[in-house]
Amino acid sequence: MTDIDRRGLLMAAGALPLAGMATAATAATPAAQGQPLIGDPHLPEVRKARWAIVGLGTFAVGEMIPGFVASSRAEMTAFVSGNPQKAHDLGARYGVTRFYDYQSFDRIKDDPTIDCVYIALPVALHAEYAIRALKAGKHVLCEKPMASTVAECEAMIAAAKAANRQLGIAYRIHFEPVNNDAVRRLRAGEIGKLRYFSGDAGFSANPSWPPHKWRLQKALAGGGSMYDIGIYALNAALWCVDEAPVSVTAVYSTPAGDPRFTEVEGGVEWRLRFPSGISAAGSSSYCYSFVSHQRMFGSDGNIALEPAMDYTNINMTIQRDQGPMTIRPGVPGTQFSAQIDAFSQAALTNTPHLTSGEMGLRDIKLIQAIYASADGDGQMVKV
Ligand code: NDP
C-alpha cells in the first residue's frame, strides 16, 4: 500500500481531518436565514376549543374554571347561569363576555364562539341541558353522575349520535397522574395478579349548606351518596378489575332516624362479582367524615391510594415483601386541565373521549342494581 492509499483509508475512517477542514476557521460562517414552508408538514391542530360553562356553582368556580385557565387546548367564551350578577362578576374576572341564562340557553346554537359545553348543574338537570346543547350542535362534557335514570343516560347518548357530537362524562380521576400510575403499576404486574379491590368514599352531608341541600333531595340529586361520592370507588373498581361484573349485592347503612335521609340513602355497602372470580367491594356514605380510600390486593403485594380522589392531595403506598414504599408520581391538581385538554382534543377532532357517555351509563346501571339489591336487603342482582 502506498502512502497515498493509506492516507485515503485513514480519512474515510475519520482518523485524519478532511481536506479543507484545517482552513475552516478562515472560511465565511454560514448565517441562519428563514426558508419557505415546503409541502404539508402535517402540523398538529393548534386552535383552542371554545367552551360555555353551565352552572357557576361550587365545583365549577372553585376547581374547573381554574382548570380551564390552566388548560392549553381550551378557552372559556360563555357563562350560563341563573344568577346574572355572579355570571358578570366572574366574566370580568376571567375575560368571558358572552352570557346566557337557562331560558336563553338554546340560543347557543347561533353562537359560533362555542364549540363545547361543560355542565355542572345538579344531577337531575344534566340530561336536559346536555340534550339541548347537543341539539344546538355543541360537544358536551357533563359532570358525574351522568344523570338520574338509565333512560336519561340513553337519551343523552342518542342525542350525541344524532348530532354527530362528542359526549363525555367528567370522571376527572382518569386524568389524575397518581391514580393513572397506580393502574399502570397494577397492569405491569408490580403486585402480581389482582385478587380483590376495596374502595370507600364518603363525607358528612350538611343539610343547611346549599350544595349539600340539593344532594339530599331525590328530585334534584337522582340518588344519594352512591350517586354523588360512592361512584368514584365503583368507577375505580371497574377501571382496576377491567372486566364487566356479573352480579351485585348491597345493603344500606343509613343511620336509623337521621332526619337528613328521608329521600335518598345516607350510606350503602356494595359488592361486585366478576367472571374471573375476583370481587370488588366498597362503601359510600353521607354520614362518615371525609374518606376516599382504595386498595388493590394483589398476589404479590398491594397498592393503596389514600386519599384516592382529592383535588390536590393524593397519596399512593405500595406494600410488598420488602416493605412499604410511598410514591407521589405527579401533581394531582393537573387533573382538571388534563381532562379539559383531552375533551377539547376529542371535540376538535370529533373522536370519542376517554370517559364516554357509555361509561356514565354503565355506572348508573350498576348503581341502580346496587339499589335494587339493597332494597331487597342484600339479595343478589344479576347484571
Ligand atoms: P352547587 O350547588 O355548588 O352548584 C350547582 C349550580 O347549578 C348552582 O350554583 C347553580 O348555578 C346551578 N343550578 C341551576 N339550577 C339549580 C337548582 N335548582 N338548584 C341548585 N343549583 C342549580 O353544586 P356543585 O358545584 O357541588 O355540583 C355541581 C355538579 O358538579 C354536580 O353534578 C356534581 O355531582 C358535580 N361535582 C363534581 C365533582 C367532581 O369532582 N367531578 C365535585 C363536586 C361536584 P347558577 O347560580 O350559576 O345558575
Side-chain angles (χ1 to χ4, degrees):
M1 190 182 274
T2 65
D3 275 357
I4 294 173
D5 290 340
R6 190 176 300 114
R7 182 176 168 77
L9 280 174
L10 288 170
M11 275 178 67
L16 291 176
L18 291 168
M21 275 188 68
T23 57
T26 55
T29 307
Q33 56 183 335
Q35 302 291 307
L37 186 64
I38 297 169
D40 175 5
H42 303 292
L43 294 174
E45 171 70 73
V46 290
R47 180 167 90 72
K48 289 185 173 182
R50 296 156 302 180
W51 288 73
I53 315 300
V54 185
L56 303 174
T58 323
F59 184 65
V61 174
E63 311 302 332
M64 286 297 278
I65 288 179
F68 278 97
V69 172
S71 74
S72 53
R73 300 298 319 272
E75 61 184 315
M76 295 181 291
T77 49
F79 284 154
V80 182
S81 172
N83 182 333
Q85 184 63 53
K86 175 173 65 173
H88 281 83
D89 289 350
L90 287 166
R93 196 190 300 173
Y94 289 104
V96 170
T97 54
R98 305 177 90 83
F99 301 96
Y100 298 87
D101 60 23
Y102 301 117
Q103 287 69 44
S104 63
F105 181 63
D106 298 318
R107 295 214 317 261
I108 64 169
K109 184 178 193 303
D110 303 316
D111 190 335
T113 74
I114 299 172
D115 304 302
C116 304
V117 169
Y118 165 63
I119 296 174
L121 297 167
V123 180
L125 302 171
H126 289 182
E128 177 189 341
Y129 284 86
I131 291 169
R132 285 168 72 178
L134 289 161
K135 282 189 173 158
K138 311 301 180 184
H139 303 277
V140 171
L141 179 65
C142 178
E143 263 309 330
K144 48 52 63 180
M146 183 170 176
S148 295
T149 64
V150 166
E152 285 179 350
C153 297
E154 287 171 343
M156 290 162 77
I157 291 170
K161 288 213 170 90
N164 189 26
R165 292 293 180 270
Q166 297 306 316
L167 169 63
I169 307 305
Y171 286 120
R172 60 182 167 82
I173 291 301
H174 287 257
F175 302 90
E176 191 286 307
V178 188
N179 278 262
N180 269 286
D181 195 53
V183 174
R184 184 191 61 74
R185 287 168 184 276
L186 172 69
R187 301 265 194 271
E190 288 191 21
I191 57 165
K193 283 209 171 305
L194 181 64
R195 300 299 192 207
Y196 172 60
F197 172 99
S198 84
D200 304 290
F203 60 88
S204 184
N206 173 357
S208 54
W209 192 50
H212 285 186
K213 209 169 174 177
W214 66 257
R215 282 170 164 82
L216 301 175
Q217 298 167 2
K218 190 165 178 3
L220 277 170
S225 70
M226 194 64 210
Y227 258 55
D228 186 64
I229 186 91
I231 194 169
Y232 283 96
L234 178 78
N235 184 277
L238 294 160
W239 191 13
C240 292
V241 177
D242 202 24
E243 295 176 35
V246 290
S247 67
V248 170
T249 51
V251 290
Y252 290 121
S253 50
T254 305
D258 190 320
R260 291 175 295 177
F261 306 114
T262 54
E263 299 187 22
V264 299
E265 95 281 357
V268 63
E269 290 153 24
W270 51 270
R271 178 179 299 278
L272 307 179
R273 292 197 176 83
F274 295 92
S276 62
I278 295 178
S279 95
S283 74
S284 162
S285 185
Y286 277 158
C287 308
Y288 48 61
S289 71
F290 181 79
V291 166
S292 84
H293 164 90
Q294 287 159 21
R295 192 180 289 267
M296 300 165 230
F297 297 77
S299 53
D300 303 335
N302 64 75
I303 299 176
L305 291 168
E306 184 164 22
M309 43 151 287
D310 260 18
Y311 299 152
T312 56
N313 174 36
I314 293 176
N315 207 40
M316 169 162 61
T317 306
I318 303 179
Q319 208 144 14
R320 285 151 35 117
D321 291 345
Q322 59 268 41
M325 175 168 73
T326 299
I327 301 170
R328 282 174 197 250
V331 182
T334 58
Q335 60 190 300
F336 304 106
S337 54
Q339 172 179 244
I340 292 161
D341 282 342
F343 191 85
S344 298
Q345 177 70 12
L348 289 171
T349 55
N350 207 12
T351 51
H353 184 57
L354 179 66
T355 57
S356 61
E358 284 75 9
M359 180 186 278
L361 168 64
R362 175 202 69 184
D363 292 355
I364 293 297
K365 278 184 174 167
L366 282 172
I367 295 175
Q368 293 293 346
I370 286 169
Y371 285 161
S373 174
D375 287 345
D377 207 17
Q379 73 179 16
M380 190 181 79
V381 173
K382 287 202 178 340
V383 290

